[in-house]
Amino acid sequence: MLEFYQIIQGWHNPFWDGFFILLSFVGSVPVYIFLFAILFWNIDKRFGFRLGVLLLFSLTVNSWLKDTLHFARPIGQPGIRSLYISSATGYSFPSGHSQAAATFYPYILTRLKDFKWKFWSVLVILGIGFSRLYLGVHWPMDVLGGFALGILLVIAFTQFDRLLFKIPFSLLFKLGLSVALPLLALTFYHTKEGLQLAGFLIGFTSGYFLEDTYLDYQERTSVKFSIYKTGLGILCLAAWILVFSSLTHRFLFLYLPVYCSIGFWISFILPYLYQKIGWEKQRAD
């Protein structure tokens, strides 16, 4: 195994170190939240909702397996160079970054049939997995296990959601589930990323159910107004995260309410704002 790491880390330099750190960051929860937002505002809000639920479930399973199996990471092993260890929380198997990538992108590809999207998505998935090896924070079996679990969960979820999301639950019941299920997931996924994703899902799903009932926001607009919506939305989100960044780093529990407000902002406040200023009505031709 040491020879494997000597091969992939033997050609390291500052450029490749920075590149793979960036690629690994692309597989983190904040990046997925930004992608959720773009999908929700501009493409398909219901699909974005399902994707959020699936990713939370996938990473909850990942965290539970890590805590159950207790496999040690390669960090600190003689001859293995480890970087970006702040992203290496908890135990080693399976790789959370690899499983998240193999959950997020394949589920999107159930809707996008174009070969070029499949090609680039496969490259991103493989690249995120390889970055965890180059950075020396996972074993090869961690990455392969994450890939396998992510794909299996996507297959299972696509069958399950055809039934689940057609059940006519009341709004009050949906709001209760929006809070209860992410909090339940936190009992297994009790890391910084777990607080971020659980908080986001509480706000995001609650806002989605309220929006679907009271606003019925129409997400598809012209390209120009999609750019306007995305630019304003991401600017607001980045500013909000920046304002609270120092506090959340000092007090981890604050990730839950801060990301809850981010989720609600994405799924309810901004759609309401876009309706009021008329951007929603600028439909695509």
Short mmCIF file of all heavy atoms in Angstrom, two decimals, residues 87-124:
data_model
loop_
_atom_site.label_atom_id
_atom_site.label_comp_id
_atom_site.label_asym_id
_atom_site.label_seq_id
_atom_site.Cartn_x
_atom_site.Cartn_y
_atom_site.Cartn_z
N SER A 87 -10.36 18.58 6.38
CA SER A 87 -11.51 17.97 5.71
C SER A 87 -11.69 16.51 6.09
O SER A 87 -12.66 15.87 5.67
CB SER A 87 -11.35 18.06 4.19
OG SER A 87 -10.29 17.23 3.74
N ALA A 88 -10.75 15.98 6.87
CA ALA A 88 -10.76 14.55 7.22
C ALA A 88 -11.31 14.38 8.63
O ALA A 88 -10.56 14.20 9.59
CB ALA A 88 -9.36 13.98 7.10
N THR A 89 -12.62 14.45 8.76
CA THR A 89 -13.25 14.31 10.06
C THR A 89 -13.74 12.87 10.25
O THR A 89 -14.23 12.25 9.32
CB THR A 89 -14.44 15.28 10.20
OG1 THR A 89 -15.36 15.04 9.12
CG2 THR A 89 -13.97 16.72 10.12
N GLY A 90 -13.61 12.37 11.45
CA GLY A 90 -14.10 11.03 11.75
C GLY A 90 -13.21 9.93 11.20
O GLY A 90 -12.03 10.15 10.88
N TYR A 91 -13.78 8.75 11.11
CA TYR A 91 -13.03 7.58 10.66
C TYR A 91 -12.93 7.55 9.14
O TYR A 91 -13.36 8.47 8.45
CB TYR A 91 -13.67 6.32 11.21
CG TYR A 91 -13.54 6.20 12.71
CD1 TYR A 91 -14.59 6.56 13.57
CD2 TYR A 91 -12.36 5.75 13.29
CE1 TYR A 91 -14.48 6.46 14.95
CE2 TYR A 91 -12.23 5.64 14.68
CZ TYR A 91 -13.28 6.00 15.49
OH TYR A 91 -13.15 5.91 16.85
N SER A 92 -12.35 6.47 8.62
CA SER A 92 -11.92 6.45 7.23
C SER A 92 -12.91 5.85 6.24
O SER A 92 -13.11 6.38 5.16
CB SER A 92 -10.59 5.70 7.13
OG SER A 92 -9.98 5.88 5.89
N PHE A 93 -13.52 4.71 6.58
CA PHE A 93 -14.35 3.98 5.61
C PHE A 93 -15.83 4.16 5.91
O PHE A 93 -16.26 3.95 7.05
CB PHE A 93 -14.01 2.49 5.64
CG PHE A 93 -14.82 1.68 4.64
CD1 PHE A 93 -14.36 1.52 3.35
CD2 PHE A 93 -16.03 1.11 4.99
CE1 PHE A 93 -15.10 0.78 2.42
CE2 PHE A 93 -16.77 0.38 4.08
CZ PHE A 93 -16.29 0.22 2.79
N PRO A 94 -16.60 4.49 4.87
CA PRO A 94 -16.24 4.83 3.50
C PRO A 94 -15.95 6.33 3.37
O PRO A 94 -16.33 7.11 4.24
CB PRO A 94 -17.48 4.43 2.71
CG PRO A 94 -18.61 4.62 3.68
CD PRO A 94 -18.07 4.32 5.05
N SER A 95 -15.34 6.73 2.29
CA SER A 95 -15.03 8.13 2.06
C SER A 95 -16.30 8.95 1.86
O SER A 95 -17.08 8.67 0.95
CB SER A 95 -14.13 8.27 0.82
OG SER A 95 -14.10 9.61 0.36
N GLY A 96 -16.50 9.96 2.72
CA GLY A 96 -17.69 10.79 2.61
C GLY A 96 -17.69 11.64 1.35
O GLY A 96 -18.74 11.82 0.72
N HIS A 97 -16.52 12.19 0.98
CA HIS A 97 -16.44 12.99 -0.24
C HIS A 97 -16.79 12.15 -1.47
O HIS A 97 -17.53 12.59 -2.35
CB HIS A 97 -15.03 13.57 -0.41
CG HIS A 97 -14.76 14.78 0.44
ND1 HIS A 97 -14.62 14.70 1.81
CD2 HIS A 97 -14.61 16.09 0.12
CE1 HIS A 97 -14.40 15.91 2.30
NE2 HIS A 97 -14.38 16.77 1.30
N SER A 98 -16.25 10.93 -1.51
CA SER A 98 -16.51 10.06 -2.66
C SER A 98 -17.98 9.64 -2.71
O SER A 98 -18.59 9.61 -3.78
CB SER A 98 -15.62 8.81 -2.59
OG SER A 98 -14.26 9.18 -2.54
N GLN A 99 -18.55 9.31 -1.56
CA GLN A 99 -19.94 8.89 -1.53
C GLN A 99 -20.87 10.03 -1.88
O GLN A 99 -21.86 9.83 -2.61
CB GLN A 99 -20.30 8.33 -0.14
CG GLN A 99 -21.71 7.76 -0.07
CD GLN A 99 -21.97 7.03 1.23
OE1 GLN A 99 -21.05 6.47 1.83
NE2 GLN A 99 -23.21 7.02 1.67
N ALA A 100 -20.58 11.25 -1.39
CA ALA A 100 -21.41 12.39 -1.73
C ALA A 100 -21.38 12.67 -3.23
O ALA A 100 -22.42 12.93 -3.85
CB ALA A 100 -20.96 13.62 -0.95
N ALA A 101 -20.18 12.61 -3.82
CA ALA A 101 -20.07 12.85 -5.27
C ALA A 101 -20.81 11.78 -6.05
O ALA A 101 -21.48 12.09 -7.05
CB ALA A 101 -18.59 12.87 -5.67
N ALA A 102 -20.72 10.52 -5.60
CA ALA A 102 -21.38 9.42 -6.29
C ALA A 102 -22.87 9.37 -6.00
O ALA A 102 -23.60 8.56 -6.57
CB ALA A 102 -20.73 8.09 -5.90
N THR A 103 -23.35 10.24 -5.12
CA THR A 103 -24.78 10.40 -4.87
C THR A 103 -25.32 11.59 -5.65
O THR A 103 -26.31 11.49 -6.37
CB THR A 103 -25.05 10.61 -3.36
OG1 THR A 103 -24.56 9.50 -2.61
CG2 THR A 103 -26.53 10.79 -3.11
N PHE A 104 -24.65 12.72 -5.51
CA PHE A 104 -25.12 13.99 -6.07
C PHE A 104 -25.18 13.95 -7.59
O PHE A 104 -26.23 14.20 -8.20
CB PHE A 104 -24.21 15.12 -5.59
CG PHE A 104 -24.68 16.49 -5.97
CD1 PHE A 104 -25.55 17.20 -5.15
CD2 PHE A 104 -24.26 17.09 -7.14
CE1 PHE A 104 -25.98 18.47 -5.50
CE2 PHE A 104 -24.68 18.36 -7.50
CZ PHE A 104 -25.54 19.05 -6.67
N TYR A 105 -24.06 13.65 -8.23
CA TYR A 105 -23.99 13.75 -9.69
C TYR A 105 -24.76 12.64 -10.41
O TYR A 105 -25.46 12.93 -11.39
CB TYR A 105 -22.52 13.80 -10.13
CG TYR A 105 -21.84 15.07 -9.68
CD1 TYR A 105 -20.99 15.07 -8.57
CD2 TYR A 105 -22.09 16.29 -10.31
CE1 TYR A 105 -20.38 16.23 -8.13
CE2 TYR A 105 -21.49 17.46 -9.87
CZ TYR A 105 -20.64 17.43 -8.78
OH TYR A 105 -20.05 18.58 -8.34
N PRO A 106 -24.69 11.38 -9.98
CA PRO A 106 -25.52 10.38 -10.67
C PRO A 106 -27.02 10.65 -10.56
O PRO A 106 -27.77 10.38 -11.50
CB PRO A 106 -25.14 9.07 -9.96
CG PRO A 106 -23.73 9.30 -9.52
CD PRO A 106 -23.71 10.73 -9.10
N TYR A 107 -27.47 11.22 -9.43
CA TYR A 107 -28.89 11.52 -9.33
C TYR A 107 -29.28 12.63 -10.30
O TYR A 107 -30.35 12.58 -10.92
CB TYR A 107 -29.26 11.93 -7.90
CG TYR A 107 -30.76 12.04 -7.70
CD1 TYR A 107 -31.56 10.91 -7.77
CD2 TYR A 107 -31.37 13.27 -7.45
CE1 TYR A 107 -32.94 10.99 -7.61
CE2 TYR A 107 -32.75 13.37 -7.28
CZ TYR A 107 -33.52 12.23 -7.35
OH TYR A 107 -34.89 12.32 -7.20
N ILE A 108 -28.41 13.63 -10.45
CA ILE A 108 -28.67 14.66 -11.44
C ILE A 108 -28.73 14.06 -12.84
O ILE A 108 -29.56 14.45 -13.69
CB ILE A 108 -27.58 15.76 -11.37
CG1 ILE A 108 -27.80 16.62 -10.13
CG2 ILE A 108 -27.60 16.64 -12.62
CD1 ILE A 108 -26.80 17.75 -9.97
N LEU A 109 -27.88 13.07 -13.09
CA LEU A 109 -27.84 12.45 -14.42
C LEU A 109 -29.06 11.61 -14.73
O LEU A 109 -29.27 11.21 -15.88
CB LEU A 109 -26.56 11.61 -14.57
CG LEU A 109 -25.26 12.41 -14.62
CD1 LEU A 109 -24.07 11.49 -14.75
CD2 LEU A 109 -25.28 13.41 -15.76
N THR A 110 -29.89 11.33 -13.71
CA THR A 110 -31.16 10.66 -14.01
C THR A 110 -32.09 11.58 -14.78
O THR A 110 -33.06 11.13 -15.38
CB THR A 110 -31.87 10.19 -12.72
OG1 THR A 110 -32.19 11.33 -11.90
CG2 THR A 110 -30.98 9.23 -11.94
N ARG A 111 -31.79 12.90 -14.75
CA ARG A 111 -32.59 13.88 -15.49
C ARG A 111 -31.87 14.41 -16.72
O ARG A 111 -32.53 14.87 -17.66
CB ARG A 111 -32.93 15.06 -14.57
CG ARG A 111 -33.84 14.69 -13.42
CD ARG A 111 -35.25 14.40 -13.89
NE ARG A 111 -35.84 15.55 -14.53
CZ ARG A 111 -36.48 16.52 -13.87
NH1 ARG A 111 -36.61 16.45 -12.56
NH2 ARG A 111 -36.98 17.55 -14.52
N LEU A 112 -30.54 14.40 -16.72
CA LEU A 112 -29.77 14.94 -17.84
C LEU A 112 -29.25 13.78 -18.68
O LEU A 112 -28.39 13.03 -18.23
CB LEU A 112 -28.61 15.80 -17.33
CG LEU A 112 -28.99 17.02 -16.48
CD1 LEU A 112 -27.75 17.69 -15.94
CD2 LEU A 112 -29.82 18.00 -17.31
N LYS A 113 -29.73 13.65 -19.88
CA LYS A 113 -29.39 12.51 -20.73
C LYS A 113 -28.24 12.79 -21.70
O LYS A 113 -27.72 11.88 -22.33
CB LYS A 113 -30.62 12.07 -21.53
CG LYS A 113 -31.85 11.79 -20.68
CD LYS A 113 -31.60 10.72 -19.63
CE LYS A 113 -32.88 10.42 -18.85
NZ LYS A 113 -32.65 9.40 -17.80
N ASP A 114 -27.85 14.05 -21.83
CA ASP A 114 -26.80 14.43 -22.78
C ASP A 114 -25.48 13.78 -22.40
O ASP A 114 -25.05 13.83 -21.24
CB ASP A 114 -26.65 15.96 -22.79
CG ASP A 114 -25.85 16.44 -24.00
OD1 ASP A 114 -24.75 15.90 -24.22
OD2 ASP A 114 -26.32 17.34 -24.71
N PHE A 115 -24.79 13.20 -23.37
CA PHE A 115 -23.54 12.48 -23.11
C PHE A 115 -22.48 13.38 -22.51
O PHE A 115 -21.70 12.95 -21.64
CB PHE A 115 -23.01 11.85 -24.40
CG PHE A 115 -21.66 11.20 -24.23
CD1 PHE A 115 -21.56 9.95 -23.63
CD2 PHE A 115 -20.50 11.84 -24.65
CE1 PHE A 115 -20.31 9.35 -23.44
CE2 PHE A 115 -19.27 11.26 -24.47
CZ PHE A 115 -19.17 10.01 -23.87
N LYS A 116 -22.40 14.64 -22.95
CA LYS A 116 -21.34 15.51 -22.45
C LYS A 116 -21.48 15.75 -20.95
O LYS A 116 -20.48 15.85 -20.24
CB LYS A 116 -21.33 16.84 -23.20
CG LYS A 116 -22.53 17.74 -22.96
CD LYS A 116 -22.43 19.03 -23.75
CE LYS A 116 -23.66 19.91 -23.51
NZ LYS A 116 -23.60 21.16 -24.30
N TRP A 117 -22.73 15.84 -20.43
CA TRP A 117 -22.93 16.01 -19.00
C TRP A 117 -22.51 14.75 -18.25
O TRP A 117 -21.94 14.83 -17.17
CB TRP A 117 -24.38 16.35 -18.70
CG TRP A 117 -24.78 17.71 -19.18
CD1 TRP A 117 -25.65 18.01 -20.19
CD2 TRP A 117 -24.31 18.96 -18.69
NE1 TRP A 117 -25.76 19.37 -20.34
CE2 TRP A 117 -24.94 19.98 -19.45
CE3 TRP A 117 -23.41 19.33 -17.68
CZ2 TRP A 117 -24.71 21.34 -19.22
CZ3 TRP A 117 -23.17 20.67 -17.46
CH2 TRP A 117 -23.81 21.66 -18.22
N LYS A 118 -22.82 13.60 -18.83
CA LYS A 118 -22.40 12.35 -18.20
C LYS A 118 -20.88 12.26 -18.14
O LYS A 118 -20.30 11.86 -17.12
CB LYS A 118 -22.96 11.16 -18.98
CG LYS A 118 -24.47 11.04 -18.92
CD LYS A 118 -24.95 9.81 -19.69
CE LYS A 118 -26.48 9.70 -19.61
NZ LYS A 118 -26.99 8.52 -20.34
N PHE A 119 -20.24 12.65 -19.23
CA PHE A 119 -18.78 12.59 -19.30
C PHE A 119 -18.14 13.47 -18.23
O PHE A 119 -17.27 13.02 -17.47
CB PHE A 119 -18.32 13.02 -20.69
CG PHE A 119 -16.82 13.12 -20.84
CD1 PHE A 119 -16.05 11.96 -20.98
CD2 PHE A 119 -16.19 14.35 -20.83
CE1 PHE A 119 -14.67 12.05 -21.11
CE2 PHE A 119 -14.81 14.46 -20.96
CZ PHE A 119 -14.05 13.30 -21.10
N TRP A 120 -18.56 14.73 -18.15
CA TRP A 120 -17.98 15.64 -17.18
C TRP A 120 -18.33 15.25 -15.75
O TRP A 120 -17.50 15.41 -14.84
CB TRP A 120 -18.43 17.07 -17.47
CG TRP A 120 -17.76 17.66 -18.66
CD1 TRP A 120 -18.32 17.95 -19.87
CD2 TRP A 120 -16.37 17.99 -18.79
NE1 TRP A 120 -17.39 18.45 -20.74
CE2 TRP A 120 -16.18 18.49 -20.11
CE3 TRP A 120 -15.27 17.92 -17.93
CZ2 TRP A 120 -14.94 18.92 -20.57
CZ3 TRP A 120 -14.03 18.35 -18.39
CH2 TRP A 120 -13.87 18.84 -19.69
N SER A 121 -19.51 14.73 -15.54
CA SER A 121 -19.89 14.30 -14.19
C SER A 121 -19.03 13.14 -13.73
O SER A 121 -18.59 13.10 -12.57
CB SER A 121 -21.37 13.90 -14.16
OG SER A 121 -22.18 15.01 -14.41
N VAL A 122 -18.77 12.18 -14.61
CA VAL A 122 -17.91 11.06 -14.27
C VAL A 122 -16.50 11.56 -13.93
O VAL A 122 -15.87 11.10 -12.96
CB VAL A 122 -17.87 10.02 -15.40
CG1 VAL A 122 -16.77 8.99 -15.15
CG2 VAL A 122 -19.22 9.33 -15.52
N LEU A 123 -16.01 12.52 -14.70
CA LEU A 123 -14.68 13.09 -14.42
C LEU A 123 -14.64 13.75 -13.04
O LEU A 123 -13.65 13.59 -12.30
CB LEU A 123 -14.30 14.10 -15.50
CG LEU A 123 -13.79 13.56 -16.83
CD1 LEU A 123 -13.31 14.71 -17.71
CD2 LEU A 123 -12.64 12.56 -16.62
N VAL A 124 -15.69 14.50 -12.70
CA VAL A 124 -15.72 15.17 -11.39
C VAL A 124 -15.76 14.14 -10.27
O VAL A 124 -15.04 14.26 -9.27
CB VAL A 124 -16.94 16.12 -11.31
CG1 VAL A 124 -17.10 16.64 -9.88
CG2 VAL A 124 -16.76 17.28 -12.27
#
